């Protein structure tokens, strides 16, 4: 806040509340929930949480408006504004802490992240107000206010139970894997030498092209085939698991909730494995790196399939595709290794 504003003291309560909100944000980010032995009503939790989020949004709006044009709020008014903002933030963080991990770790993580985003937004708005000149409503202040609104609006889209939270995780994983598969397919469908348009080909006829390692050899392309097969098995596994969770996912017992979290956690290992494999397929291809990444991804998929097989989402009909994909993983892993070892 510019030094020439007569009511400079009003910055003191704002700075104090900023420090408090930053501490609250850090505690929410790293803290544990208040586990309770009593019955927990998820519906009541959401009603109360949504009210708390709405209150934070309103207080942030009031704060922004108060510092958007002269005259500057008096120190007393500034203290009241700061107090109201802090009260709304404390209420939000307190309600978040009501959500026990026994309702599902995946759900709690997503509610926690959304709560942290709101607290981060309010802290950023306070920082902007403290360093902005009073005479104008800066674009930065407008953007920060909108950031708080946006973070608060996200609560309407949050999953309402652990089954829905796990489906959010699976959807994100599926998207990443799909993108990796499409990128490799696109690169393969282009010219034999995908870099010919960016490299200088105007060389003397008697001088061979010196950029052999910028495009795939025939052997490279053969090796890529089963690697793509393994990547497609990853995508199929995520799609089938999503369908199984939608159909059979249960949130009524601690064991089922825990199994859903296990499925979400192991599924998160698939997309990094697919990405690592996809990256090492680009020329110049290092066969030892390909073999290493194929083995790693195959191990992750076998682990995923084992966890699915032993979970409540796997019924008789699911067992069929679990066994099929298990065989597909073995087949593509062995085929990749065989092709790499040919002619070596």
């Amino acid at each position: 806040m510019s030094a020439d504003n007569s009511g400079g003291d009003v910055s003191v309560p704002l700075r104090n509340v900023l420090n408090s909100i930053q501490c609250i944000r850090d505690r929410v980010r790293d803290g544990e929930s208040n586990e309770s032995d009593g019955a927990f009503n998820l519906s009541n939790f959401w009603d109360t949480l949504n009210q708390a989020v709405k209150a934070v949004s309103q207080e942030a709006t009031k704060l922004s408006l108060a510092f958007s044009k002269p005259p500057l709020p008096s120190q007393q008014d500034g203290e009241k504004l700061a107090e109201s903002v802090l009260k709304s933030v404390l209420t939000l963080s307190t309600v978040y802490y009501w959500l026990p991990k026994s309702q599902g770790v995946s759900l709690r993580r997503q509610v926690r992240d959304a709560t942290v985003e709101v607290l981060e937004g309010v802290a950023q708005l306070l920082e902007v107000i403290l360093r902005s000149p009073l005479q104008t409503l800066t674009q930065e202040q407008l953007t920060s206010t909108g950031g708080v609104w946006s973070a608060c609006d996200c609560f309407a889209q949050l999953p309402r139970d652990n089954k829905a939270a796990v489906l959010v995780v699976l959807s994100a994983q599926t998207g990443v894997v799909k993108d990796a598969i499409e990128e490799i397919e696109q690169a393969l469908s282009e010219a034999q030498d995908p870099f010919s348009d960016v490299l200088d080909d105007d060389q003397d006829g008697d001088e061979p092209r010196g950029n052999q390692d910028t495009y795939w050899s025939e052997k490279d392309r053969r090796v890529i085939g089963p690697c793509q097969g393994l990547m497609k098995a990853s995508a199929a596994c995520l799609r089938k698991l999503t369908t199984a969770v939608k159909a059979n996912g249960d949130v009524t017992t601690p064991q089922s909730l825990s199994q859903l979290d296990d499925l979400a956690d192991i599924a998160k290992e698939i997309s990094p494995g697919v990405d690592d494999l996809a990256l090492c397929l680009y020329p110049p291809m290092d066969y030892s790196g390909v073999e290493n990444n194929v083995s790693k991804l195959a191990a992750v998929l076998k682990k995923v399939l084992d966890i699915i097989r032993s979970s409540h989402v796997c019924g008789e009909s699911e067992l069929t595709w679990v066994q099929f994909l298990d065989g597909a993983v073995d087949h593509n892993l062995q085929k990749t290794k065989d092709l790499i070892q040919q002619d070596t």
Side-chain angles (χ1 to χ4, degrees):
M1 198 171 294
S2 60
D4 58 7
N5 289 327
S6 54
D9 283 345
V10 80
S11 68
V12 175
L14 294 189
R15 205 166 290 286
N16 289 340
V17 82
L18 171 61
N19 292 336
S20 298
I21 289 171
Q22 287 169 335
C23 290
I24 293 165
R25 174 202 62 200
D26 293 344
R27 280 204 301 272
V28 167
R29 188 184 282 139
D30 304 323
E32 292 297 325
S33 59
N34 302 325
E35 282 298 341
S36 154
D37 295 330
F40 180 80
N41 189 314
L42 197 55
S43 177
N44 285 351
F45 165 77
W46 281 112
D47 288 344
T48 313
L49 186 69
N50 286 328
Q51 286 169 12
V53 170
K54 189 177 175 185
V56 172
S57 182
Q58 288 170 343
E59 291 303 327
T61 304
K62 281 186 209 168
L63 179 73
S64 189
L65 283 171
F67 288 91
S68 64
K69 60 183 188 299
L72 194 69
S74 66
Q75 185 171 359
Q76 187 179 11
D77 287 343
E79 284 170 358
K80 281 181 183 172
L81 277 166
E83 201 176 291
S84 293
V85 169
L86 183 57
K87 184 180 174 185
S88 71
V89 162
L90 280 167
T91 301
L92 173 60
S93 61
T94 301
V95 176
Y96 156 72
Y97 279 120
W98 290 355
L99 182 62
K101 279 197 289 191
S102 57
Q103 288 294 315
V105 175
S106 302
L107 175 65
R108 194 165 175 278
R109 279 179 188 148
Q110 290 174 44
V111 178
R112 177 199 64 199
D113 291 348
T115 304
V116 167
E117 282 295 310
V118 170
L119 301 181
E120 185 67 53
V122 177
Q124 189 180 49
L125 174 60
L126 281 159
E127 286 173 348
V128 168
I129 289 171
L130 281 163
R131 67 170 178 261
S132 297
L134 177 71
Q135 284 75 10
T136 56
L137 175 60
T138 63
Q139 184 58 48
E140 194 180 10
Q141 186 175 330
L142 282 169
T143 302
S144 295
T145 308
V148 177
W149 294 341
S150 178
C152 290
D153 288 347
C154 285
F155 277 75
Q157 277 77 51
L158 283 176
R160 287 309 194 245
D161 61 26
N162 207 47
K163 174 178 170 179
V166 169
L167 289 170
V168 169
V169 172
L170 295 177
S171 175
Q173 290 294 305
T174 303
V176 175
V177 170
K178 185 167 170 273
D179 288 346
I181 291 170
E182 286 175 356
E183 280 171 23
I184 285 289
E185 285 175 349
Q186 186 179 346
L188 284 166
S189 70
E190 287 168 359
Q192 185 76 6
D193 177 356
F195 294 88
S196 60
D197 58 334
V198 292
L199 294 169
D200 184 13
D201 241 353
D202 297 327
Q203 297 173 333
D204 295 333
D206 59 347
E207 186 183 338
R209 166 96 180 245
N211 293 301
Q212 291 286 331
D213 63 353
T214 60
Y215 54 95
W216 286 295
S217 68
E218 280 309 308
K219 180 178 177 180
D220 290 347
R221 286 176 174 267
R222 285 197 300 273
V223 169
I224 288 173
C227 293
Q228 283 181 291
L230 198 60
M231 291 163 73
K232 286 175 180 174
S234 303
C237 181
L238 286 165
R239 280 198 311 273
K240 292 287 190 181
L241 176 55
T242 299
T243 303
V245 169
K246 280 179 182 172
N248 306 329
D250 175 51
V251 292
T252 61
T253 70
Q255 184 184 18
S256 294
L257 283 160
S258 178
Q259 286 178 354
L260 287 171
D261 285 328
D262 289 344
L263 288 167
D265 286 343
I266 188 63
K268 284 180 191 170
E269 295 181 30
I270 295 177
S271 69
V274 169
D275 271 346
D276 288 345
L277 176 56
L279 284 170
C280 76
L281 294 179
Y282 286 93
M285 194 184 281
D286 167 24
Y287 290 145
S288 65
V290 173
E291 191 167 352
N292 183 36
N293 282 302
V294 163
S295 298
K296 280 184 183 174
L297 179 55
V300 167
L301 289 174
K302 298 282 276 187
K303 192 174 169 187
V304 172
L305 292 166
D306 278 345
I307 291 174
I308 294 171
R309 192 183 281 113
S310 61
S311 78
H312 71 279
V313 305
C314 185
E316 284 297 320
S317 59
E318 285 74 27
L319 207 51
T320 307
W321 62 257
V322 168
Q323 289 166 343
F324 173 79
L325 287 174
D326 202 51
V329 170
D330 288 335
H331 170 76
N332 285 299
L333 172 62
Q334 192 57 50
K335 192 171 179 187
T336 305
K337 288 182 173 181
D338 290 345
L339 285 166
I340 286 172
Q341 282 153 19
Q342 278 176 13
D343 312 322
T344 54

